[in-house]
Amino acid sequence: DQKEVFDEVSLLVQSALDGYKVCIFTYGQTGSGKTYTMLGGQGDARGLIPRSMEQMFSSQALLESKGMKVSITATLLEIYNEDIRDLLSDAPDAKKEYKIKHDDEGNTRVTNLCQVEVFSAGEVEALMRQANAARAVAKTNMNDRSSRSHMVMRLCLDGVNEAGEPIHGALNLVDLAGSERLSRTGATGDRLKEAQAINKSLSSLGDVIFALASKEKHVPFRNSKLTYLLKNSLGGDCKTLMLVNVSPSLESAQETICSLRFASKVNACALKRAS
């Protein structure tokens, strides 16, 4: 259940408060439960994001009682048809220029994104509801509310520990759009264009991970906005986890095999030890 899944990854959430850069993302075919894994429902059905927020603010209060100060800032964006959209903007469709910037210390930022300092899990949940309402979804033959974009929630944690040393942690929670075979989804027009963009960026993600696993000199991070945004979460000094979602449906056996093969490749990808 959702609690068991979160118990498996809760130490990674704690690592962000310890100053590490952490990335958790869901991968799998459309309709396999990625958004449910991340967001979930009410009560015991709460997903990874609300449970992570509860743990983070609980730990923050404990750390501050010991003299440590931590501020938490949230950004929420989606990558739709290879364009970045700010899901916290009052006008998410406004034509702003969003550029992905990486610095020498492994930090990533996107220009012109709304940044909101948050003080409780409830505030983050309210932002998530706002972002989810603005997110691009559409009906396909395989999913009544198919996510047509990749959503990235980023929490930046800045503070000073008990020894007076600065801490700069980050928690990236990524709900990828689903991979899909066009013959099964019946995609045409806008849905077809969306599916092609989704599949291209997921293919680029695979190319990056295979290059990392093979320890190639050149890693093609720039081939898509998704991989370039996650550059420091995939090949950098960080802790990264992929959750693979598969469908129990017999009709989805081919997609399940593809997802599991991809997961097997990811599992063989060893990054350097995070510091």
Side-chain angles (χ1 to χ4, degrees):
D1 59 22
Q2 296 275 43
K3 181 181 183 302
E4 289 174 298
V5 173
F6 181 70
D7 286 346
E8 288 288 322
V9 303
S10 60
L11 286 177
L12 277 180
V13 177
Q14 185 60 44
S15 290
L17 277 165
D18 295 336
Y20 289 95
K21 292 175 178 61
V22 175
C23 181
I24 301 172
F25 66 98
T26 52
Y27 178 91
Q29 75 175 92
T30 185
S32 59
K34 297 179 300 301
T35 300
Y36 180 77
T37 299
M38 277 295 179
L39 297 177
Q42 300 297 314
D44 290 343
R46 299 188 318 287
L48 255 177
I49 290 178
R51 290 176 187 271
S52 296
M53 298 307 100
E54 290 161 12
Q55 176 178 325
M56 184 165 286
F57 285 100
S58 174
S59 297
Q60 181 196 32
L62 182 64
L63 290 170
E64 289 191 344
S65 72
K66 296 179 178 178
M68 180 176 166
K69 295 293 181 187
V70 181
S71 65
I72 302 176
T73 306
T75 59
L76 273 149
L77 64 83
E78 71 174 351
I79 299 174
Y80 174 72
N81 285 347
E82 280 299 289
D83 286 328
I84 290 175
R85 295 175 72 237
D86 185 353
L87 294 175
L88 296 183
S89 169
D90 292 334
D93 292 317
K95 290 297 179 186
K96 287 185 180 177
E97 190 175 24
Y98 299 107
K99 287 191 175 180
I100 301 166
K101 304 276 190 181
H102 302 293
D103 66 23
D104 294 337
E105 295 177 356
N107 298 307
T108 300
R109 71 181 185 91
V110 179
T111 61
N112 293 322
L113 269 190
C114 289
Q115 300 182 58
V116 181
E117 187 172 359
V118 287
F119 301 92
S120 70
E123 285 185 24
V124 179
E125 283 197 47
L127 293 177
M128 282 301 310
R129 285 194 294 271
Q130 177 185 339
N132 224 27
R135 193 177 177 189
V137 296
K139 182 175 181 177
T140 71
N141 288 350
M142 291 183 67
N143 190 350
D144 282 348
R145 281 185 56 80
S146 173
S147 300
R148 312 310 291 166
S149 66
H150 309 298
M151 185 185 77
V152 181
M153 176 182 191
R154 181 176 173 81
L155 294 171
C156 293
L157 301 99
D158 297 291
V160 180
N161 67 14
E162 302 97 313
E165 301 164 330
I167 286 177
H168 302 291
L171 178 62
N172 296 282
L173 297 163
V174 186
D175 179 19
L176 293 178
S179 56
E180 53 188 54
R181 277 190 291 167
L182 303 183
S183 59
R184 288 195 65 199
T185 57
T188 58
D190 287 346
R191 301 295 83 78
L192 176 62
K193 182 183 175 185
E194 292 162 357
Q196 289 169 334
I198 290 165
N199 287 343
K200 179 179 180 293
S201 61
L202 291 173
S203 176
S204 297
L205 178 63
D207 292 342
V208 162
I209 286 172
F210 299 156
L212 289 168
S214 305
K215 295 185 166 46
E216 293 178 13
K217 287 186 178 178
H218 173 68
V219 181
F221 287 114
R222 289 182 176 270
N223 284 4
S224 78
K225 288 269 177 69
L226 174 68
T227 51
Y228 193 52
L229 178 68
L230 297 180
K231 177 183 176 183
N232 290 330
S233 297
L234 295 171
D237 178 25
C238 63
K239 296 186 177 186
T240 307
L241 174 76
M242 180 181 93
L243 289 155
V244 61
N245 289 69
V246 295
S247 167
S249 163
L250 187 60
E251 290 81 5
S252 298
Q254 191 58 47
E255 284 93 342
T256 295
I257 289 169
C258 289
S259 293
L260 291 174
R261 282 180 179 151
F262 184 71
S264 178
K265 281 277 191 182
V266 171
N267 223 27
C269 181
L271 303 179
K272 65 181 180 180
R273 183 175 292 277
S275 63

